[in-house]
Amino acid sequence: MAKAKRTKDTLEITPLEATARMAVLAKEIERHDILYHQKDAPEISDAAYDALRKEYQSLHEYYPNLAPKGYNPEKKVGAQPAVGFTKITHAVPMLSLGNAFTDEDVEDFILRMRRFLNLDHDAPISLMAEPKIDGLSASLRYEKGKLVQGATRGDGTVGENITTNVMTIASIPHTLTSSTKYPVPDVVEVRGEIYMNRDDFMILNAQREAANESPFANPRNAAAGSVRQLDSSITAKRPLSFFAYALGEVSDMPFTSQQSLRKHMNHWGFALNEPSRLCHNALDLLTYYHEIESLRHTLPFDIDGVVYKVDDFALQQRLGFVSRAPRWAIAHKFEAERAQTVLKNILIQVGRTGALTPVAELEPVNVGGVMVSRATLHNEDEIKRKDIRVGDTVTIQRAGDVIPQIVEVDTSKRPKNSKPFIFPTVCPECGSHALREDGMAVTRCTGGLVCPAQAALRIIHFASRDAFNIEGLGEQRVLELWGDGLIKTPADIFALHNHQRDLAQREGWGAKSAQKLINAIEARRSIPFDKLIYALGIRQVGEATAKLLARHYKDLPTWRTAMIAAQNKEGSETWQALTDIDQIGPLVARDIVAFFDEDHNLKVLAALEKALTIQPPPVQKKTSVLSGKTIVFTGTLTTMGRSEAKAKAESLGAHVSGSVSKKTDYLVTGEDAGSKAAKAAEHGVSVLTEQEWLKLIS
Ligand code: IVH
């Protein structure tokens, strides 16, 4: 992949390459923003993310006109708020900080400000230096000293309302302490970082692993994941802490500097991020930086750098902001801790969702005080991109993460006979095909029901409330029975009556609970077709899709025959019929068909078919002129959105399709209708204007 060199003189990239590279980078940055800010599940280290942004920036500087349309990563602070929380528009935007990586960057930062302010060479400029803790920034609003609102940063303009969650954090005061010397303004928004101490994080992860929950990658994710819980009783159980370091909206300002603000916030009841220091020039800042770097391991929390802020608020005001960051502050990042070692082997782990994750087995090495013998390789692309091979000498780094990453390969030390790693196409756990979907980085095992790595989870899903709803067969029971080999596949549930006596004799069971479970299972032996489909746990097939499939295919043999016929035949009539079902696109269709491509799945399905009575979906009553008709919409409707029109048609018993064929009854044409009208004429399909459509449904 072409990479932009940093200076214009040496830019070795053509405009065409730059266009393509910028588009790729923009997409990647956007994806990582969402992973980091909304999903709390970053795939790359902060350093790797910063490198993407830097590369984009340098290309953008050189080719500003070739930037992808509608995208400006400079403006973007975070990602849109996730659904679930109400939104809060920040009275004062919550901005981010620019980064410095080298001593020179820090000197430049000071020079830039001096130039901007037109300061004399010897005029002093004081800066507060503080540790930069990697957590989740939050804004706490106090009115008359009472905590009334807590918000996340969100995209910097609009954040999420996390008031009930912040109320559960012990170091966040509900009432501020006011005094003559340190009065509390009527309205004040205190900003700072919610974070988790390293020890607390380790304990939490150990508890999660014991409870079969996936551990958090680092304290930052743990903090973010805990704060962004819709149920605040979960947040309350998490060991979170808070540091105050800045202000949002404030009704009056009894302070004129960062130093004085810190003192006030401390007296009001907040913890501060220490050790901090008032510095007076670049040399002071760099001395502070190196001191903090050397004692970072002794701090109870992870820090990823330090922050320098102009102390005087009047100067801050004059300096102002450039796009996403203040001119008066900068984050000076630490280098991630690195070490070289040899990659002994690449193992493939299969997760509970079937994702195949490559893991590097390393010659153990000490990285920043921690012995490391494994590193994550993320996925196939990552291995290819870095050309990582078994036997290679690699540089690994830990960036606050528990699981370290491979940064680069020293190809000069590569053994002569080394070969590129070939990613498996079968699951190492169960031998089923492992598939990679178009546009996806993850390779997944398709053996869902039989793969030991996934089986227990699938069975839990199978018996769960929205699927078979078998009372008494919850997560713990499934894990117990699965662990002892009594339920290996969902079909085994319906043979449990053969083991009733064994069940009764199990520790903690007894005859009564065994009987109860058998009764609950028997009660579900007759099951609606859509519930069965949903229970199979096919990827991307939720309850709604299961209903659509059940309604379309009506019974298991018909569905199975069609799905087998559609194998390797995208474009065939059976494939077309499947993707013609409204809301089933090619990606979902591929997952459904892939399920039937596995012998093990077919075996389980056959066993279930024998054990169950499958109820056909209820026949829809013919009550409207649209019952049973197939409708296609094209162009833009002015009175309703496309989804609303579809929903309306379906509620009247019609089937909505995406393409015109001889089976289409009506084509509804909105504005700017394309080529579908011609196709409709060809097939003799009735064409309706939007007005005629409205009349038809009224
Ligand atoms: S000041 C307008 N001070 O780092 C600038 N931020 O990378 C307001 N952070 O969004 C931020 N420690 O979440 C500031 N001592 C500190 C900080 C700090 C950590 C976070 C904060 C910010 C991010 C920028």
Side-chain angles (χ1 to χ4, degrees):
M1 184 66 66
K3 274 207 173 178
K5 292 265 164 64
R6 289 192 70 179
T7 62
K8 291 185 183 184
D9 303 340
T10 58
L11 202 91
E12 289 168 2
I13 183 163
T14 66
L16 199 64
E17 286 171 333
T19 314
R21 183 69 187 147
M22 274 158 96
V24 169
L25 286 169
K27 253 205 172 135
E28 270 299 280
I29 293 170
E30 221 159 28
R31 192 169 74 84
H32 290 302
D33 276 339
I34 291 176
L35 284 170
Y36 186 91
H37 291 285
Q38 283 187 12
K39 308 236 161 101
D40 302 320
E43 281 178 6
I44 57 173
S45 66
D46 285 1
Y49 175 82
D50 290 337
L52 290 178
R53 286 195 86 105
K54 224 173 189 174
E55 192 188 343
Y56 184 93
Q57 229 169 358
S58 54
L59 280 171
H60 189 255
E61 267 167 31
Y62 199 66
Y63 291 118
N65 299 329
L66 302 183
K69 295 246 160 358
Y71 177 71
N72 179 2
E74 305 312 307
K75 275 253 165 70
K76 231 177 184 164
V77 175
Q80 297 282 315
V83 283
F85 290 100
T86 57
K87 290 169 192 172
I88 285 176
T89 302
H90 299 299
V92 177
M94 289 184 78
L95 293 148
S96 187
L97 292 172
N99 288 327
F101 297 99
T102 62
D103 293 5
E104 204 187 337
D105 290 345
V106 176
E107 282 152 11
D108 281 351
F109 162 66
I110 304 278
L111 281 178
R112 267 199 310 274
M113 292 196 295
R114 285 192 164 283
R115 225 176 292 133
F116 187 92
L117 296 168
N118 207 5
L119 284 188
D120 274 350
H121 187 66
D122 49 3
I125 182 164
S126 303
L127 297 113
M128 266 313 283
E130 306 167 359
K132 181 175 184 309
I133 183 155
D134 202 15
L136 179 85
S137 49
S139 184
L140 309 172
R141 188 180 175 89
Y142 291 84
E143 289 174 4
K144 300 221 178 317
K146 291 264 179 293
L147 176 59
V148 293
Q149 191 177 75
T152 64
R153 182 170 73 190
D155 66 2
T157 309
V158 179
E160 295 151 324
N161 184 342
I162 50 162
T163 311
T164 46
N165 290 356
V166 297
M167 296 261 188
T168 70
I169 299 174
S171 50
I172 293 182
H174 289 197
T175 309
L176 300 184
T177 309
S178 196
S179 57
T180 337
K181 202 162 171 210
Y182 300 103
V184 175
D186 266 0
V187 173
V188 59
E189 280 177 9
V190 172
R191 291 182 173 172
E193 206 82 352
I194 300 176
Y195 67 97
M196 201 177 278
N197 278 325
R198 209 178 303 119
D199 286 351
D200 290 333
F201 162 74
M202 296 291 189
I203 295 169
L204 176 66
N205 259 1
Q207 286 168 346
R208 286 178 70 83
E209 292 201 66
N212 239 326
E213 292 165 328
S214 51
F216 290 109
N218 53 46
R220 197 213 85 90
N221 287 357
S226 303
V227 169
R228 296 161 89 256
Q229 289 287 336
L230 289 172
D231 177 355
S232 59
S233 69
I234 299 179
T235 312
K237 284 189 212 137
R238 302 281 171 81
L240 295 166
S241 309
F242 180 80
F243 277 143
Y245 53 62
L247 271 186
E249 190 185 2
V250 60
S251 53
D252 45 7
M253 296 260 271
F255 22 72
T256 55
S257 69
Q258 174 70 8
Q259 198 181 23
S260 153
L261 167 66
R262 285 172 64 89
K263 245 188 215 143
H264 277 77
M265 293 194 299
N266 196 213
H267 279 88
W268 295 342
F270 290 101
L272 304 178
N273 43 349
E274 297 291 3
S276 64
R277 184 179 300 164
L278 191 65
C279 297
H280 303 284
N281 51 45
L283 187 63
D284 281 359
L285 295 177
L286 295 174
T287 309
Y288 171 82
Y289 173 85
H290 291 295
E291 278 178 30
I292 299 291
E293 188 172 37
S294 66
L295 59 77
R296 71 191 274 205
H297 301 298
T298 65
L299 298 175
F301 40 79
D302 282 348
I303 59 174
D304 59 346
V306 295
V307 181
Y308 310 135
K309 302 172 188 174
V310 167
D311 190 46
D312 182 350
F313 283 170
L315 283 185
Q316 285 191 7
Q317 183 91 30
R318 281 176 59 197
L319 284 158
F321 297 86
V322 247
S323 68
R324 62 192 266 268
R327 253 189 218 97
W328 47 263
I330 201 162
H332 191 181
K333 294 281 193 80
F334 292 139
E335 275 203 29
E337 285 162 305
R338 295 181 167 191
Q340 257 201 357
T341 188
V342 173
L343 171 63
K344 292 197 299 190
N345 198 5
I346 297 178
L347 309 169
I348 301 287
Q349 280 179 351
V350 187
R352 294 211 290 172
T353 59
L356 268 56
T357 308
V359 177
E361 211 185 356
L362 305 164
E363 202 62 67
V365 63
N366 189 323
V367 194
V370 176
M371 282 309 278
V372 168
S373 56
R374 283 190 168 201
T376 174
L377 293 168
H378 297 296
N379 52 48
E380 182 178 7
D381 289 350
E382 171 95 352
I383 300 179
K384 273 207 185 118
R385 197 162 56 81
K386 294 182 180 156
D387 188 19
I388 298 168
R389 304 180 184 193
V390 172
D392 273 346
T393 297
V394 294
T395 302
I396 57 169
Q397 84 174 20
R398 275 191 339 122
D401 289 4
V402 179
I403 307 171
Q405 326 206 346
I406 291 188
V407 202
E408 58 187 10
V409 173
D410 185 347
T411 43
S412 70
K413 295 187 182 153
R414 172 168 282 170
K416 281 212 178 65
N417 57 354
S418 92
K419 289 192 189 71
F421 180 71
I422 299 173
F423 206 85
T425 51
V426 293
C427 170
E429 293 280 345
C430 71
S432 303
H433 295 294
L435 281 187
R436 220 182 125 163
E437 288 157 18
D438 280 356
M440 296 294 189
V442 183
T443 302
R444 263 178 222 281
C445 164
T446 55
L449 296 176
V450 292
C451 179
Q454 304 171 68
L457 192 75
R458 294 299 182 105
I459 296 166
I460 290 167
H461 168 78
F462 187 91
S464 69
R465 206 181 57 200
D466 296 328
F468 268 69
N469 192 16
I470 299 174
E471 221 172 297
L473 201 55
E475 190 169 333
Q476 286 313 316
R477 279 263 171 97
V478 172
L479 288 174
E480 179 189 337
L481 299 177
W482 182 80
D484 291 347
L486 277 169
I487 306 179
K488 290 200 216 69
T489 80
D492 295 337
I493 294 173
F494 297 96
L496 266 187
H497 58 267
N498 298 326
H499 303 280
Q500 189 165 347
R501 216 175 304 147
D502 299 347
L503 289 179
Q505 280 162 8
R506 296 181 76 85
E507 210 184 302
W509 282 66
K512 232 183 179 172
S513 37
Q515 186 61 51
K516 238 173 136 180
L517 178 61
I518 298 300
N519 291 350
I521 292 170
E522 291 312 310
R524 297 286 180 266
R525 214 176 260 281
S526 173
I527 190 90
F529 186 31
D530 65 290
K531 292 275 180 203
L532 170 65
I533 298 177
Y534 172 68
L536 295 176
I538 302 173
R539 257 178 71 69
Q540 308 201 66
V541 177
E543 281 180 282
T545 309
K547 278 210 171 81
L548 293 171
L549 290 167
R551 224 178 283 153
H552 185 87
Y553 293 102
K554 310 229 165 22
D555 58 55
L556 178 57
T558 311
W559 182 40
R560 179 174 40 209
T561 310
M563 296 305 93
I564 291 171
Q567 259 149 43
N568 307 320
K569 291 200 193 82
E570 294 190 11
S572 68
E573 212 167 304
T574 38
W575 171 266
Q576 195 61 44
L578 175 61
T579 49
D580 266 354
I581 300 175
D582 184 34
Q583 289 171 41
I584 297 193
L587 290 183
V588 181
R590 222 165 282 166
D591 276 327
I592 301 171
V593 172
F595 177 88
F596 286 87
D597 197 17
E598 294 295 332
D599 273 348
H600 328 276
N601 290 340
L602 293 180
K603 271 192 201 134
V604 172
L605 213 49
L608 284 170
E609 198 176 10
K610 246 190 220 157
L612 300 171
T613 308
I614 304 169
Q615 305 158 15
V619 185
Q620 282 183 323
K621 284 189 207 117
K622 293 204 170 177
T623 50
S624 83
V625 280
L626 288 180
S627 299
K629 302 280 192 224
T630 298
I631 301 190
V632 176
F633 291 96
T634 184
T636 316
L637 300 180
T638 52
T639 54
M640 58 178 79
R642 183 70 72 86
S643 334
E644 190 186 346
K646 272 186 182 172
K648 183 79 194 159
E650 281 167 357
S651 74
L652 292 170
H655 163 68
V656 179
S657 164
S659 56
V660 175
S661 72
K662 55 180 188 289
K663 289 184 201 148
T664 312
D665 295 292
Y666 296 112
L667 174 72
V668 179
T669 55
E671 279 171 15
D672 301 322
S675 58
K676 286 186 179 140
K679 205 155 177 210
E682 200 180 297
H683 291 296
V685 171
S686 310
V687 179
L688 304 181
T689 62
E690 185 172 353
Q691 289 312 315
E692 288 166 330
W693 153 250
L694 290 174
K695 221 164 135 195
L696 192 68
I697 59 171
S698 66

